[in-house]
Amino acid sequence: MNAMIGGDSAAEMVAIRAAFWLDDFGSASCPSPEFMSSASVTGVGQAFRDAVIQYCS
């Protein structure tokens, strides 16, 4: 989760994550994780967890 929200990551990690975000979503205006609320990031993480559990069970 640290890579997703910043945590103690270096500036290089933030730049790499932003590049992947732009590549994946094709939009710089799509909110990147470091600008999302903690509740939103947690919700995305929980949804991902639920999807993994559903499709891997």
Side-chain angles (χ1 to χ4, degrees):
M1 184 79 85
N2 256 356
M4 195 169 141
I5 61 173
D8 54 274
S9 62
E12 297 155 350
M13 184 64 167
V14 172
I16 292 168
R17 186 176 57 245
F20 278 107
W21 191 266
L22 180 61
D23 185 54
D24 286 345
F25 295 103
S27 171
S29 64
C30 187
S32 59
E34 64 265 11
F35 298 111
M36 295 169 64
S37 71
S38 179
S40 295
V41 173
T42 299
V44 169
Q46 289 171 342
F48 180 74
R49 178 202 62 204
D50 294 346
V52 169
I53 291 170
Q54 178 181 358
Y55 292 108
C56 293
S57 296

